[in-house]
Amino acid sequence: MQARKKYVLLGLCTCCWLLLYYWGGLQDRLLGLITHRRGEVARPWPNWLDRDLLPGYADQAELQNAGGPGDSPKQRRQSWAGIYKDSRCRMDTCFDFARCQGQSGFRVYIYPPEKGERVSESYRKILTSVTESRYFTSDPREACLFVLGIDTLDRDQLSTQFVPNMDERIRGYPLWNDGRNHVIFNLYSGTWPNYTEDLGFNVGQAILAKASLNTEHFRPGFDISIPLFSKEHPQKGGERGWLVRNTVPPRRKYLLMFKGKRYLTGIGSDTRNALHHIHNGKDIVSLTTCRHGKDWEKHKDARCDHDNQEYERFDYQELLHNSTFCLVPRGRRLGSFRFLESLQAACIPVLLSNGWELPFSDVIQWNQAVVEGDERLLLQVPSTVRAVGIDRVLALRQRTQMLWEAYFSSVDKIVLTTLEIIKDRVYSHISRNKFMWNALPGGLLVLPEYSTHLAHYPFYYLNLGISPSQEFTAVIHATSPLVSQSQPIMKLLQVVSKSKYCSQIIILWNSEKPPPHRSKWPPMPVPLIITDGRRKTSSRFLPHAAIETEAVLSLDEDTVLLTSEINFAFHVWRSFPERIVGYPPRSHFWDPVKKAWGYTSKWTNEYSIVLTGAAFYHRYYHHLFSHYLPSSLRALVDRTSNCEDILMNFLVSSVTHLPPIKVAQRKQYKEMPTLQGTKMAPWANPEHFTQRQECVNTFASWFGYMPLVHSQFRLDPVLFKDHVSVLRKRYKDLERV
C-alpha cells in the first residue's frame, strides 16, 4: 500500500513538471511570434533597465546597448578588442628599441602644446615632472619615449576636461607611428553607466600608464598601472607618512574603518551598498552616505537618512589616524583615492576591488603592504583582519610607509617610477631587481648603471650581513697653487698617508695654475694620483674611476687633523656606511619671520650637516650626486664655488632619512695665515654665508621638502677624556689641544 502511494505521487510530480515545461515553452514561442509580427524586439525579463527607474541619466536604448557588469567574459573581451586593437602588445613586438640605443640613451620628448590648449592641473604636473627629470630632451631626434602634449587624463565624455577629436589630432603627429614608443597617462576612462576602459580613441601600440586598470585588459610587461591621485596631490616631496618610529602598540583604537560615498545604482553600487553589514560602531566603523550628486534625494532608499546621520558622527581624519586597517572598496572605477590616503596614514589597506591591477605591480610586492579581500566575501573581512598577528600588523604598516615615501607621496615620484620601470624594460641587462624596488630607500634612489649587485650599495649591508672593506681613499680638494713646502696640504698628506687604512690619495687639482711635477710632492707609502678637477667645485663629487675603495675621505686642502682622528672616524663610518661621518657640524633652522630656511655655523648641541671638508661617506654618493641630481643644482654650485657640501648632505639625508654623524674632534684649531700668492679662504668672503643661506632654500625647493634631520648624537672613543691612564686609551691623541 505504501509503495503504491509513492508511485502515484511520483507520477503526478512528473506530469506537473511536463505541463509546466510544455506550456512555459509554448508561451515563450507565442510571445516571440506575436512580437515578431508586430515588428517589435522581445526584451529580456526582468526589464529592470526601465526609463522610469533611472530618470535623467541616459536613454533606454543607450542602457540596453551598453555593456554593463552583467556582460559575459566573451562580450567584455570583444568590447576590449574593439577599443584596443593591439591588446597583445608586448615590449618585443610594439616597441622600437633602436631609438634608445644611441648616444643619447633613454630620453623623453613631450609634444609642444597647441595654442589655446586646455591642460588640467594634474596633467600639467605630470608634464612638469617629465620636463624637470634627467631624461627630458627638447629634441625629438634624441627621444626614446614620447609623451603627448594633449591632456589624456580624463576621458569621461561627460567631464568638462574631456578633449574631443583625439584620433584626428594624434594622427597629425608625424612621429605618432601608431603609438609606438609613446606613453599615454590616464586617470579616468569610460562614462556612465558602465565606465568601461574606453579612452575614446585608438591608443594603438602606445604604453598605457593608467589608473584603475583591469587585470583582464592589462598587458603584462607593457602597460603600467598607476595610482588614482587628486589634483591637490603635491608636485614634489609630499608629506611624510604618519607612522612614528616608536609607535607602540602597533594596533590602534579602531580595527577596521571606511567612510565614503555609496551608490544607489550602477556599477560599483553592490560593494558599497553592502558595507553597512560589517559596521558595529565599536572597533569596526563602516560609514557610507548617499548625499552626493544633484538628485540624490530623488533616488534615496530606506537606509539613506539613517546612514547620513551616522556618517556625520565620525571625523574622517580622526578615523584615519586611529585605525589599523582601512577598507578600500572600488568606486565607479576600480581605483580609489582611499588607497593613497591609507598608505600615507599607515592604515593597512584592505582591498575590495576584484580585478584591479595594483599600481606598479610589475615591481612592487603588494602582499607585504596590503590585504586583498574579495567583494563577494565581504562578511569574512572582519574575521580575516582580526586574525592578523601583531608582528604582521607592524610589518605591514612599516611597508606602507616605505612605499608611500618611495613612490607615491608626490606626482614627481609617480611619474619617475613610471619612467624608470619603462627604462628597466628597455635596458633589462642593467635593471633593478625586485629587492631593490621593495627595500629602503626604494628603486628611484638605486641607479643600476652604478651596479646591479646589492653588495655594492651602502644601504644594503645590514640586510646582507656584510661590512665594508677596511680601506679608504682620501680625496683632497686643492684650489691653491703649490708655492711652499710648508703649506697645509703637505702636512695633511703626511697625516693621511700614515693611516693604516689609507689605500690611496687622490688630489683633485682645481687651481688655475697647472699641478706641480710629482717630484714636488713628498714621498708617501701609498699611491698618490693627481686628477684635473677642471676648476669646477662640483668635480670633487664626480664618480672618479680612480676611486677603488667603498669608503671615501673627503678633505679640503687646509684641513688640520691627526692620524688617530682619521682612524677613529673611519671605524665609526664602517658601522654606519650609509651616512656621512665627519667633524665640523652645521645646522639649519626655520625662520618664521622671513618664512624661509636659515643656515648657521654656531657651535651648539644640535646639528644637521657635517661639512665634507673632513668627512667619510660611501663612493656610491658620488654617482648619485652626478647622475641623480639635476644639472641646474650642480651649475649653481660651480657658479658660486660654494654649497657643494650642503648639497651632498641634502642628498644623503634624502636617501637615509637620517642625520649625519659627528665624531669627537679637537676643538681648538689654529687658523693658518693666508700665504702670499694663495687664494683667500672662502669663509673670509662676506658673500659666502649669504650664498649658503640661499643654497639651503634652493635645495629644499627642488627636493620639495626639507630632508635634513637634526641630531644631538656624537660618538667619542672609549675612555675619551676620562681620568685614567693614557696607556688604556686607544685614541689618546684626540685629547690633545
Side-chain angles (χ1 to χ4, degrees):
M1 187 67 182
Q2 296 294 333
R4 183 179 179 182
K5 289 182 178 180
K6 290 181 180 179
Y7 289 126
V8 171
L9 183 62
L10 181 62
L12 289 173
C13 290
T14 303
C15 291
C16 291
W17 183 84
L18 290 172
L19 287 172
L20 289 172
Y21 178 79
Y22 175 78
W23 285 106
L26 180 61
Q27 287 177 351
D28 282 346
R29 287 192 294 272
L30 288 173
L31 179 62
L33 290 172
I34 293 171
T35 55
H36 179 71
R37 288 170 184 172
R38 293 180 181 177
E40 298 176 356
V41 178
R43 292 185 294 184
W45 184 90
N47 182 27
W48 63 273
L49 293 173
D50 195 276
R51 183 192 300 261
D52 295 330
L53 294 178
L54 295 173
Y57 285 99
D59 291 334
Q60 183 176 356
E62 293 177 350
L63 292 176
Q64 291 284 4
N65 294 330
D71 289 349
S72 68
K74 182 178 180 180
Q75 289 173 316
R76 288 198 296 269
R77 285 194 297 270
Q78 290 173 347
S79 174
W80 171 259
I83 297 168
Y84 301 106
K85 298 179 181 179
D86 296 286
S87 58
R88 298 185 181 276
C89 267
R90 297 296 183 267
M91 292 294 289
D92 56 346
T93 60
C94 295
F95 194 89
D96 183 5
F97 289 89
R99 293 199 66 99
C100 313
Q101 303 304 324
Q103 293 182 352
S104 301
F106 188 78
R107 291 289 181 266
V108 184
Y109 174 77
I110 299 177
Y111 287 95
E114 298 178 12
K115 187 175 182 180
E117 183 75 41
R118 292 182 304 162
V119 177
S120 65
E121 182 65 24
S122 296
Y123 199 63
R124 185 176 289 107
K125 290 178 179 178
I126 289 177
L127 297 182
T128 300
S129 297
V130 175
T131 304
E132 295 182 354
S133 75
R134 61 185 179 277
Y135 300 126
F136 175 72
T137 179
S138 57
D139 186 352
R141 294 170 297 183
E142 297 179 349
C144 166
L145 195 67
F146 297 85
V147 176
L148 297 179
I150 306 173
D151 190 343
T152 56
L153 285 190
D154 195 340
R155 300 304 300 160
D156 186 339
Q157 297 179 15
L158 301 179
S159 171
T160 58
Q161 296 177 345
F162 178 80
V163 179
N165 305 320
M166 281 293 295
D167 275 318
E168 179 182 345
R169 296 179 67 176
I170 60 178
R171 279 198 299 268
Y173 290 146
L175 298 172
W176 173 244
N177 192 23
D178 195 30
R180 183 168 286 230
N181 287 56
H182 285 66
V183 58
I184 294 175
F185 290 91
N186 175 258
L187 295 181
Y188 307 100
S189 62
T191 189
W192 172 267
N194 50 5
Y195 294 94
T196 65
E197 306 212 12
D198 183 9
L199 298 188
F201 67 97
N202 181 18
V203 300
Q205 300 178 16
I207 297 171
L208 278 180
K210 186 179 183 304
S212 305
L213 260 174
N214 193 304
T215 53
E216 290 185 13
H217 308 148
F218 177 70
R219 297 173 288 184
F222 192 73
D223 291 334
I224 298 174
S225 177
I226 64 174
L228 183 65
F229 60 88
S230 68
K231 62 181 180 181
E232 290 82 18
H233 207 56
Q235 175 77 61
K236 292 178 174 291
E239 295 183 13
R240 295 288 302 272
W242 295 357
L243 181 64
V244 181
R245 287 187 176 86
N246 59 354
T247 299
V248 177
R251 293 192 184 273
R252 294 170 170 174
K253 178 180 178 181
Y254 301 106
L255 174 68
L256 179 67
M257 87 85 176
F258 173 77
K259 184 178 181 182
K261 300 176 183 178
R262 73 177 174 93
Y263 311 107
L264 301 177
T265 57
I267 191 168
S269 60
D270 292 345
T271 302
R272 295 205 177 194
N273 278 336
L275 292 178
H276 72 281
H277 289 296
I278 63 174
H279 172 73
N280 63 21
K282 298 176 182 178
D283 64 338
I284 298 180
V285 178
S286 181
L287 308 169
T288 58
T289 179
C290 49
R291 189 188 288 119
H292 57 89
K294 296 179 180 179
D295 301 325
W296 71 271
E297 290 187 281
K298 295 181 181 179
H299 311 290
K300 69 178 184 179
D301 57 19
R303 281 202 347 262
C304 273
D305 291 335
H306 176 268
D307 285 355
N308 293 341
Q309 185 178 1
E310 189 76 1
Y311 189 86
E312 299 300 329
R313 288 183 52 221
F314 295 85
D315 178 74
Y316 179 65
Q317 293 297 321
E318 191 268 340
L319 288 173
L320 266 182
H321 276 277
N322 293 283
S323 298
T324 304
F325 295 90
C326 285
L327 274 176
V328 183
R330 64 163 298 155
R332 290 301 193 191
R333 300 171 179 87
L334 294 174
S336 167
F337 293 133
R338 298 288 183 273
F339 184 66
L340 290 189
E341 293 169 354
S342 301
L343 285 181
Q344 181 184 8
C347 186
I348 303 166
V350 179
L351 307 181
L352 293 176
S353 185
N354 294 3
W356 182 24
E357 188 71 29
L358 293 181
F360 306 135
S361 55
D362 283 7
V363 297
I364 294 179
Q365 296 172 329
W366 281 110
N367 62 333
Q368 299 177 359
V370 305
V371 175
E372 293 196 55
D374 192 316
E375 295 179 61
R376 300 162 298 183
L377 303 175
L378 172 63
L379 298 182
Q380 294 184 9
V381 170
S383 58
T384 299
V385 296
R386 290 186 195 281
V388 180
I390 292 179
D391 292 344
R392 177 67 173 160
V393 166
L394 183 58
L396 288 168
R397 291 182 65 195
Q398 289 174 335
R399 181 61 55 174
T400 63
Q401 301 303 273
M402 178 263 161
L403 295 176
W404 164 258
E405 294 183 4
Y407 307 117
F408 300 109
S409 64
S410 68
V411 177
D412 260 11
K413 292 178 182 177
I414 293 172
V415 172
L416 287 176
T417 302
T418 302
L419 296 182
E420 292 292 350
I421 290 174
I422 297 174
K423 182 171 176 281
D424 276 3
R425 294 172 181 173
V426 174
Y427 306 102
S428 57
H429 58 292
I430 46 171
S431 60
R432 305 162 183 84
N433 57 39
K434 279 288 184 70
F435 183 88
M436 292 174 176
W437 283 107
N438 292 277
L440 289 170
L444 297 184
L445 291 167
V446 178
L447 306 186
E449 296 86 356
Y450 173 77
S451 177
T452 57
H453 298 287
L454 298 178
H456 294 167
Y457 293 90
F459 27 77
Y460 297 142
Y461 288 157
L462 186 61
N463 297 84
L464 300 176
I466 61 177
S467 298
S469 65
Q470 298 191 26
E471 293 182 325
F472 68 81
T473 296
V475 178
I476 302 176
H477 188 227
T479 59
S480 302
L482 191 63
V483 296
S484 171
Q485 291 295 315
S486 61
Q487 284 181 228
I489 191 173
M490 292 301 191
K491 184 176 181 182
L492 182 61
L493 287 170
Q494 297 292 344
V495 169
V496 174
S497 63
K498 288 180 181 178
S499 172
K500 61 181 179 180
Y501 306 111
C502 182
S503 172
Q504 59 180 341
I505 298 175
I506 298 175
I507 295 180
L508 190 63
W509 191 259
N510 264 329
S511 175
E512 295 177 355
K513 295 185 178 181
H517 190 266
R518 179 63 181 86
S519 61
K520 299 292 184 181
W521 298 100
M524 282 174 292
V526 296
L528 177 65
I529 302 172
I530 314 296
T531 301
D532 183 12
R534 293 173 292 182
R535 294 196 294 276
K536 289 187 176 181
T537 305
S538 63
S539 64
R540 72 184 304 166
F541 297 133
L542 287 176
H544 302 287
I547 300 177
E548 299 176 349
T549 60
E550 297 163 321
V552 176
L553 172 59
S554 176
L555 296 166
D556 286 339
E557 62 182 353
D558 56 354
T559 302
V560 180
L561 286 174
L562 298 175
T563 304
S564 56
E565 286 181 296
I566 294 173
N567 290 342
F568 174 66
F570 180 62
H571 273 289
V572 172
W573 177 84
R574 293 190 72 242
S575 299
F576 304 94
E578 75 281 10
R579 303 207 222 176
I580 296 176
V581 175
Y583 304 94
R586 299 291 184 265
S587 188
H588 75 288
F589 63 93
W590 176 255
D591 189 334
V593 177
K594 297 181 180 179
K595 295 184 179 180
W597 294 105
Y599 170 86
T600 178
S601 58
K602 292 181 179 179
W603 284 66
T604 64
N605 291 328
E606 194 171 62
Y607 66 94
S608 57
I609 297 171
V610 166
L611 302 184
T612 55
F616 282 96
Y617 52 81
H618 197 280
R619 69 174 176 179
Y620 173 61
Y621 292 124
H622 277 211
H623 189 86
L624 211 57
F625 186 94
S626 301
H627 298 286
Y628 175 77
L629 295 176
S631 58
S632 59
L633 296 187
R634 296 194 299 273
L636 171 64
V637 167
D638 292 329
R639 186 172 63 253
T640 60
S641 298
N642 199 350
C643 303
E644 78 284 357
D645 48 357
I646 299 177
L647 184 55
M648 178 59 88
N649 275 267
F650 265 76
L651 177 62
V652 176
S653 291
S654 71
V655 172
T656 63
H657 297 297
L658 295 169
I661 292 179
K662 173 177 166 50
V663 293
Q665 66 181 120
R666 297 170 301 151
K667 287 192 176 180
Q668 296 184 15
Y669 287 112
K670 295 181 180 179
E671 292 190 4
M672 303 300 294
T674 303
L675 297 176
Q676 186 176 3
T678 62
K679 284 186 175 181
M680 180 178 61
W683 53 84
N685 187 338
E687 295 183 1
H688 179 79
F689 190 79
T690 303
Q691 289 174 347
R692 294 174 79 79
Q693 294 267 21
E694 294 172 353
C695 285
V696 169
N697 287 280
T698 301
F699 300 158
S701 175
W702 184 84
F703 280 91
Y705 71 108
M706 173 51 72
L708 297 178
V709 182
H710 282 106
S711 175
Q712 296 180 349
F713 184 60
R714 189 186 82 181
L715 287 176
D716 299 340
V718 176
L719 302 178
F720 181 64
K721 292 193 175 180
D722 284 352
H723 297 291
V724 297
S725 172
V726 294
L727 297 177
R728 298 175 60 188
K729 298 182 179 183
R730 185 175 181 182
Y731 300 101
K732 54 183 179 293
D733 291 342
L734 268 66
E735 300 181 17
R736 296 188 315 178
V737 176

